[in-house]
Amino acid sequence: DIQMTQSPSSLSASVGDRVTITCRASQGIADSLAWYQQKEGTAPKLLLYGASRLESGVPSRFSGSGSGTDYTLTISSLQPEDFATYYCQQYYSTPRITFGQGTRLEIK
Amino acid sequence: QVQLVESGGGVVQPGRSLRLSCAASGFTFSPYGMHWVRQAPGKGLEWVALISYDGSKKYYGDSVKGRFTISRDNSNKTLHLRMNSLRVEDTAVYYCAKDPGRGVAGSRYYFDYWGQGTLVTVSS
């Protein structure tokens, strides 16, 4: 299976900060990457797919980039509602879908 | 709007069985592949199973293969997960999730809508 490693595992930031979360795949995944946001006690929510395609209704402060094995999620200006856990997920090696371990974004 | 509502979770002893259901509404159910994804308490996400739009193709994660069975009833817009030979490590919140891929073009293998989840606790 393709291993997905997110960094950092946790992150403290302030409202208005620019934040970047990294996801590294154990082999190339050709942009077959999705990002999800999960708030405590709720289901995950799709933010981006195809590494950089914003899901409908998701604010434009969220963006994704990368290629090959290395991908990033960037939040350009943190809002109070953005404090959550973020997961990447590869769908290159189907049906053996795998997730990163998550990055917890906390208020500084 | 799209709604996915899971049910059937609960406390069950190791080795026993449980059947989860997911009722879909707010969209045309039959063209879309559907998944189950689980999350152990305090842990990350783990993909469990996928069923194609017409039920002809089913795929499972290694940890549940041979014990769990995914099925669907398109006439009633319902997804199911039959879980046999349950283990303590199957304890998790189980989410049903919709795949954005339609029909014969195939599933996309990511998830654009999720249910609220149902908790399964396997304990003696």
Side-chain angles (χ1 to χ4, degrees):
Chain A
D1 288 359
I2 296 177
Q3 305 303 313
M4 305 299 291
T5 303
Q6 289 182 232
S7 59
S9 295
S10 64
L11 173 62
S12 294
S14 301
V15 173
D17 283 354
R18 180 184 180 89
V19 166
T20 297
I21 297 169
T22 297
C23 183
R24 173 166 288 175
S26 58
Q27 64 185 75
I29 58 172
D31 294 355
S32 297
L33 184 85
W35 288 98
Y36 302 89
Q37 176 194 66
Q38 186 178 33
K39 297 181 181 179
E40 195 70 33
T42 69
K45 172 188 173 183
L46 177 65
L47 299 176
L48 298 114
Y49 61 96
S52 61
R53 301 184 178 192
L54 201 65
E55 174 69 354
S56 176
V58 174
S60 59
R61 63 180 179 273
F62 291 92
S63 63
S65 64
S67 63
T69 60
D70 295 328
Y71 296 86
T72 59
L73 170 70
T74 299
I75 309 172
S76 60
S77 178
L78 271 175
Q79 299 302 300
E81 61 268 29
D82 299 337
F83 292 95
T85 299
Y86 292 84
Y87 293 94
C88 62
Q89 176 233 323
Q90 67 80 19
Y91 52 97
Y92 178 78
S93 178
T94 59
R96 305 179 80 84
I97 302 163
T98 50
F99 291 90
Q101 82 279 13
T103 295
R104 184 170 181 173
L105 178 53
E106 300 174 321
I107 302 173
K108 184 183 287 185
Chain B
Q1 71 280 19
V2 172
Q3 274 202 306
L4 299 169
V5 180
E6 301 92 339
S7 60
V11 180
V12 61
Q13 293 179 327
R16 303 298 291 267
S17 298
L18 205 60
R19 188 195 196 210
L20 305 183
S21 297
C22 171
S25 62
F27 69 105
T28 305
F29 182 69
S30 56
Y32 294 96
M34 295 293 296
H35 303 258
W36 288 98
V37 179
R38 69 183 182 183
Q39 187 170 36
K43 302 297 184 183
L45 300 165
E46 179 187 13
W47 173 74
V48 173
L50 159 67
I51 187 167
S52 62
Y53 73 103
D54 60 355
S56 63
K57 298 177 183 176
K58 303 177 183 181
Y59 302 101
Y60 300 92
D62 287 344
S63 61
V64 307
K65 199 174 297 182
R67 300 187 299 123
F68 289 13
T69 302
I70 190 171
S71 62
R72 66 188 295 158
D73 179 351
N74 283 346
S75 60
N76 288 308
K77 302 178 70 172
T78 306
L79 177 72
H80 300 287
L81 185 68
R82 176 70 178 182
M83 304 185 293
N84 295 333
S85 303
L86 281 161
R87 304 168 180 168
V88 170
E89 55 266 33
D90 294 320
T91 295
V93 174
Y94 285 73
Y95 296 101
C96 71
K98 175 184 168 292
D99 191 294
R102 287 178 62 102
V104 294
S107 298
R108 300 293 306 279
Y109 295 91
Y110 61 93
F111 321 104
D112 58 355
Y113 291 95
W114 299 63
Q116 86 289 350
T118 187
L119 176 61
V120 173
T121 303
V122 185
S123 173
S124 54

